[in-house]
Amino acid sequence: MNRNDLRRVDMNLLVIFEALMFEKNLTRVAEKLFMGQPAVSAALGRLRDLFDDPLLLRNGRGMEPTARALAILKELQPAMDVISGAVSRAKEFDPTTSCDVFRIGLSDDAEFGLFPPLLTQLREEAPGIVVVVRRANYLLMPALLASGEISVGVSYTTDLPANAKRKTLRDIPCKVLRGDKRPGPLTLDEYCERPHAMVSFSGDLSGNIDLDLAKIGRCRRVVLGVPQFSGLRALLAGTEMIATVPDYAACALVEGCALRAEDPPFPIEAAQLSMAWSGVHDNDPAERWLRARISQFMSLPLAIPS
């Protein structure tokens, strides 16, 4: 195909093709691209004609890409990244008039403890934008960035896609949350004897806190696992249960209620909260504005009531 022939290729089809390769589901692609499912089905038919290949084949209840489809994706994705970046850099960004949709991935602790003041600032500077938040963590972040479902994410991170970039926002010191009325801070023995609540997206009942306890030959007793931080306020109030949480989550949880936060009675190795984004958006003026605000408002020091 020469460049004149490219005039008959609909770029929208290539965007749909990329989404189909990642989602492997017509309904999810329709939702992601704000299309009707019949339109996605029709686009798949046109793509099959364009590439002379079935592209997606039924496999039980799901669909799987053909070998030819995966080879096309490998060649096509870098080119689409370059085109997307070139178009983005050509645009000026004015937050006061923008109606852009920003898709952000946030871990639950970042969403609960750090997102509200950021959102207030975004809405103040750019009242016409739309912000879509997706739940992310170190397990989900790579796939969300690679598929384009988010352009930027904030979480503890480990492995990321090859074209992703990362910036450390802050350390994650921990605080112990308690809802009892006993005076004085907890001793190490009291900390280990108390029942513990743990926020766990995956349902695991052990984490880095347990590794730090093991270093000093101690352990704790987790009796409750919940998927998000917001529930701890009601669950801990007036009970013997305690929870060890990031300091910024503790700051939000103790506000206006009977919970209090104190330093743990043993050393905890602080993890790092990072911002990660797709390299294709690195020079996009709108995304650079968003990342600057994230960096500004999610790095601020905290004053936590005790």
Side-chain angles (χ1 to χ4, degrees), residues 177-205:
L177 280 179
R178 51 191 294 197
D180 63 277
K181 298 187 182 300
R182 296 186 192 181
L186 292 171
T187 66
L188 178 58
D189 285 340
E190 288 171 333
Y191 179 91
C192 294
E193 290 166 2
R194 288 282 193 97
H196 287 251
M198 178 177 172
V199 177
S200 172
F201 181 80
S202 63
D204 292 335
L205 294 179

Side-chain angles (χ1 to χ4, degrees), residues 171-176 191 208-213 215-216 220 243-246 262-271:
D171 287 337
I172 311 178
C174 288
K175 292 285 185 179
V176 179
Y191 179 91
N208 291 336
I209 302 298
D210 301 279
L211 297 178
D212 289 320
L213 277 170
K215 291 175 185 176
I216 58 172
R220 63 176 176 169
T244 309
V245 302
E262 61 188 48
D263 291 329
F266 65 99
I268 295 177
E269 185 176 346

